[in-house]
């Protein structure tokens, strides 16, 4: 293969193409202008904490908000769920909180090592919630599906929108540049928080209701967050 | 001076000093890092003469986010990650502006002479590189021009090593096809 003149040619051309770039130098005036401009606002800064501390901050914020919301909200959902449903849903939602906290921390620091891509993270979270609800809860559709459903969607929005703003304030210390990814992850963490609060409150613990009005609203929230993030210059 | 010749330990030290507001460290850092950054911008956007503007914009971003650098991490991937965002944002801004522009049937005569200075048409192998999809060209530039490792490119592009390998492989395949066409035409 190495003897193929085409292979030799591509390597040779790539090498000479890269080599032709090495003589590119910025003009001294440009360097001086940059140095002058940066020196004018040079003050000491505290480096961001490590990745694990950033994740702990978001996860701690998530847990504190979830505990506070569950404490003040109606707890009908807990009385209607079985022990297995409570435990599994708690595990899935806590894992979702951890996943989104990780993804936010990676995006706050340039050149962080991403263990998996954002679409993979979102797909994992979505599959866990959909799979968990589909397997754990009965497939009964109530007669008044819409009238029972929309108050849950509205409550989810009421919780998630301010929560997303709080998480944004926490994330602002990082290097956030308007992107769909940061919008999706911040709104994703807020959506998981709203799902957690709603799960303990909701009196309609059936799979169709939970999938459409709870998980569906969370998906819309994440999509909206991505669009807002993309639109911000 | 290539990036490979920039001692990462020295750069880490300079970055730490820069975070502590040492003006000498700032000057040294700008002097050392600007040439490879300018090469990156020139190679990533062939045919455009805005590399020095991007360099200045990139340094402003580096300055604003210098607190996000951690001394335990290598410096250049962190800097290229910021440079990449600078380039992508400039590209998006240009796209937005272009979409608002009104097409004119003919360029007014007095602007025709100025046009080649704004847009320099790449030729030869440059043209093949320019024809690659954005993500593949970026990986080639970081690997070949900036001399980074697969792991460093993955960090700078917020990606995984596997994804970087795949993009490089696809870029090679595209270039191979284009060169084969040239060979066949010449033959």
């Amino acid at each position: 293969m190495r003897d193929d003149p085409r292979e030799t040619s591509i390597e040779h051309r790539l090498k000479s193409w890269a080599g032709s770039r090495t003589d590119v130098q910025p003009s001294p005036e440009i360097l001086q202008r940059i140095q002058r401009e940066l020196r004018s606002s040079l003050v000491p800064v505290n480096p961001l904490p490590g990745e694990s501390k950033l994740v702990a901050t978001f996860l701690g914020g998530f847990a504190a908000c979830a505990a506070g919301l569950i404490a003040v909200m109606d707890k009908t959902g807990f009385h209607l769920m079985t022990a297995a449903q409570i435990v599994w849903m708690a595990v899935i939602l806590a894992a979702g909180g951890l996943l989104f906290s990780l993804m936010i921390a990676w995006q706050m620091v340039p050149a962080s090592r991403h263990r998996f891509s954002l679409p993979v993270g979102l797909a994992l979270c979505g599959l866990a919630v959909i799979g968990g609800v589909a397997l754990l809860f009965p497939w009964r559709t109530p007669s008044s599906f819409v009238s029972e459903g929309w108050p849950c969607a509205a409550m989810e929005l009421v919780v998630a929108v301010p929560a997303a703003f709080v998480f944004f304030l926490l994330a602002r210390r990082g290097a956030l540049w308007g992107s769909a990814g940061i919008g999706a992850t911040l709104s994703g963490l807020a959506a998981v928080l709203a799902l957690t609060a709603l799960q303990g409150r909701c009196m309609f613990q059936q799979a169709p209701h939970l999938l459409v009005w709870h998980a569906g609203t969370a998906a819309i929230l994440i999509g909206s967050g991505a669009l807002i993030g993309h639109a911000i210059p | 001076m290539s990036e490979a010749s920039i001692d990462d330990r020295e750069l880490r030290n300079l970055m730490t000093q820069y975070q502590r507001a040492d003006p000498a460290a700032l000057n040294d850092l700008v002097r050392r890092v600007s040439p490879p950054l300018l090469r990156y911008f020139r190679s990533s956007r062939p045919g455009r003469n805005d590399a020095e503007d991007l360099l200045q914009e990139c340094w402003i971003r580096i300055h604003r986010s210098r607190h996000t650098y951690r001394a335990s991490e290598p410096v250049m991937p962190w800097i290229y990650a910021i440079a990449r965002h600078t380039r992508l944002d400039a590209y998006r801004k240009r796209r937005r502006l272009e979409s608002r522009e009104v097409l004119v049937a003919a360029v007014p005569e007095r602007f025709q002479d100025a046009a080649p200075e704004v847009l320099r048409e790449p030729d030869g192998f440059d043209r093949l590189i320019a024809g690659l999809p954005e993500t593949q060209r970026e990986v080639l530039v970081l690997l070949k021009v900036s001399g980074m490792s697969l792991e460093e490119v993955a960090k700078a592009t917020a990606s995984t090593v596997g994804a970087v390998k795949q993009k490089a492989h696809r870029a090679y395949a595209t270039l191979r096809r284009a060169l084969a066409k040239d060979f066949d035409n010449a033959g």
Side-chain angles (χ1 to χ4, degrees), chain A:
Chain A
M1 195 69 179
R2 298 295 300 173
D3 295 327
D4 185 342
R6 293 170 191 189
E7 284 297 315
T8 317
S9 171
I10 197 168
E11 278 300 335
H12 174 72
R13 288 188 189 205
L14 265 175
K15 213 174 265 180
S16 61
W17 170 73
S20 69
R21 262 60 194 156
T22 51
D23 58 344
V24 174
Q25 294 289 335
S27 64
E29 295 78 40
I30 289 280
L31 292 184
Q32 280 165 11
R33 199 185 309 158
I34 292 169
Q35 288 165 339
R36 208 172 35 242
E37 196 170 337
L38 302 189
R39 265 201 313 267
S40 66
S41 57
L42 190 61
V43 287
V45 289
N46 288 325
L48 267 190
E51 184 186 297
S52 52
K53 274 195 182 166
L54 284 179
V55 173
T57 305
F58 282 99
L59 204 54
F62 170 81
C65 290
L69 284 167
I70 288 168
V72 297
M73 285 168 101
D74 187 16
K75 293 167 191 66
T76 312
F78 285 113
H79 302 300
L80 295 173
M81 281 190 283
T82 64
Q85 285 171 338
I86 292 174
V87 169
W88 277 109
M89 284 311 285
V91 168
I92 289 169
L93 293 169
L98 175 66
L99 206 69
F100 279 109
S101 299
L102 268 172
M103 290 193 287
I104 293 170
W106 293 341
Q107 289 180 82
M108 283 172 71
V109 180
S112 287
R113 197 164 75 86
H114 292 222
R115 273 79 166 185
F116 47 82
S117 66
L118 183 69
V120 169
L122 288 175
L124 272 176
C125 212
L127 280 176
V129 170
I130 293 169
V133 169
L135 291 173
L136 291 166
F137 293 89
W139 280 85
R140 281 197 307 271
T141 310
S143 53
S144 45
F145 185 70
V146 175
S147 62
E148 286 173 1
W150 74 262
C152 281
M155 179 57 76
E156 196 171 326
L157 289 176
V158 166
V159 173
V161 172
F165 185 68
V166 171
F167 292 135
F168 167 71
L169 292 179
L170 281 175
R172 258 179 71 197
R173 255 214 93 199
L176 297 186
W177 292 298
S179 78
I182 192 72
T185 42
L186 285 172
S187 56
L189 186 60
V192 176
L193 172 68
L195 281 179
T196 309
L198 219 59
Q199 193 65 36
R201 177 188 182 270
C202 185
M203 62 178 80
F204 309 106
Q205 300 286 344
Q206 297 108 15
H209 173 88
L210 296 175
L211 286 176
V212 173
W213 297 107
H214 293 212
T217 310
I220 290 170
L221 274 165
I222 293 172
S224 309
L227 285 176
I228 292 168
H230 183 72
I232 292 173

Side-chain angles (χ1 to χ4, degrees), chain A residues 1 4-7 9-11 13-27 30-52 54 105-117 172-180 230-233, chain B residues 1-2 18-23 26-28 30-31 34-36 38-39 42-43 46 52-53 55-56 59-63 65-70 73-74 77-79 81-82 85 89 92 96 125-126 128-129 137 140-141 144-145 151 154-156 158-160 171-173 175-176 179-180 182-184:
Chain A
M1 195 69 179
D4 185 342
R6 293 170 191 189
E7 284 297 315
S9 171
I10 197 168
E11 278 300 335
R13 288 188 189 205
L14 265 175
K15 213 174 265 180
S16 61
W17 170 73
S20 69
R21 262 60 194 156
T22 51
D23 58 344
V24 174
Q25 294 289 335
S27 64
I30 289 280
L31 292 184
Q32 280 165 11
R33 199 185 309 158
I34 292 169
Q35 288 165 339
R36 208 172 35 242
E37 196 170 337
L38 302 189
R39 265 201 313 267
S40 66
S41 57
L42 190 61
V43 287
V45 289
N46 288 325
L48 267 190
E51 184 186 297
S52 52
L54 284 179
W106 293 341
Q107 289 180 82
M108 283 172 71
V109 180
S112 287
R113 197 164 75 86
H114 292 222
R115 273 79 166 185
F116 47 82
S117 66
R172 258 179 71 197
R173 255 214 93 199
L176 297 186
W177 292 298
S179 78
H230 183 72
I232 292 173
Chain B
M1 181 171 58
S2 77
Y18 175 35
Q19 287 178 325
R20 291 177 190 151
D22 178 353
L26 162 67
N27 288 347
D28 208 3
V30 169
R31 194 177 49 75
S34 292
L38 189 67
R39 279 200 287 279
R42 282 260 168 93
S43 310
E52 291 203 334
D53 294 338
L55 179 69
Q56 291 186 70
W59 270 110
I60 291 169
R61 287 183 182 220
I62 289 171
H63 189 65
S65 48
R66 64 192 185 280
H67 64 285
T68 64
Y69 172 73
R70 293 168 184 145
E73 298 291 326
W78 180 82
I79 286 190
I82 297 174
H85 275 285
D89 284 351
R92 286 193 197 116
R96 263 200 292 266
F125 197 68
D126 265 355
L128 293 184
I129 298 280
R137 187 170 65 238
L140 268 195
V141 168
K144 297 292 174 185
V145 179
E151 175 81 18
K155 278 186 165 188
S159 182
T160 59
Y172 265 74
L175 287 175
R176 202 173 287 132
L179 283 174
D182 281 0
F183 261 93
D184 294 343

